[in-house]
Amino acid sequence: MKTTEEVKGQLANKFLTGLKNRDWELMRSALANDVTWTLPGTSLLSGPAVGADAVIKRAGQLRDFGVMVQFNHILYGLDSVVLSLHNTASRGDLILDEQVAIVCDITDNKISRITTHLSDVEGINKFFIEGVI
């Protein structure tokens, strides 16, 4: 079944609004139960998060680290959306400032796979470390 652009936009907005407002039930409503989220690098948050609970935990950790999410655009694909973001945060002298593209694959009108692409992988490796949150 083809997902309409309207539904893709609704899913993207639920994911983003859930992340920004820490509304995990709203985010969960956009996710397939077996969703996966991959993040590059070797940081505390890098690698795969498997399942809706793990995806929501990762989203919470992003916010716990103080990441501010600036939404730029939603880009529409055949069976996916891409969220174009600018993420920033600081801790002491350490600054996180990166462009982010989050690819959300959609299956059966739910986000089934999330793949994050970053402009500064080394920056997240330094920023998201054990013992901070």
Side-chain angles (χ1 to χ4, degrees):
M1 170 173 59
K2 183 179 180 313
T3 305
T4 66
E5 274 60 41
E6 180 181 2
V7 170
K8 291 174 195 173
Q10 290 170 352
L11 292 170
N13 280 306
K14 285 180 181 181
F15 182 83
L16 280 172
T17 301
L19 178 62
K20 284 185 154 191
N21 297 338
R22 295 180 181 253
D23 186 340
W24 308 130
E25 288 310 308
L26 179 64
M27 180 181 281
R28 183 182 303 279
S29 73
L31 303 174
N33 290 332
D34 60 348
V35 62
T36 61
W37 185 359
T38 58
L39 195 76
T42 57
S43 77
L44 177 67
L45 301 185
S46 296
V50 180
D53 289 340
V55 166
I56 289 168
K57 179 181 177 186
R58 174 172 286 167
Q61 289 174 309
L62 280 169
R63 295 308 315 270
D64 291 346
F65 270 98
V67 174
M68 299 302 297
V69 178
Q70 177 189 327
F71 168 69
N72 294 329
H73 305 283
I74 297 176
L75 306 164
Y76 295 87
L78 183 61
D79 297 311
S80 61
V81 292
V82 176
L83 308 174
S84 171
L85 309 173
H86 180 209
N87 289 354
T88 57
S90 63
R91 184 175 63 252
D93 293 338
L94 194 56
I95 303 292
L96 181 73
D97 184 356
E98 62 187 349
Q99 299 300 316
V100 180
I102 300 177
V103 180
C104 298
D105 293 327
I106 298 170
T107 306
D108 297 328
N109 292 328
K110 294 284 187 175
I111 297 171
S112 57
R113 183 172 58 195
I114 305 165
T115 307
T116 299
H117 300 264
L118 303 169
S119 63
D120 183 11
V121 175
E122 190 56 36
I124 72 155
N125 292 340
K126 291 177 183 174
F127 197 83
F128 299 120
I129 58 172
E130 295 277 354
V132 175
I133 59 170

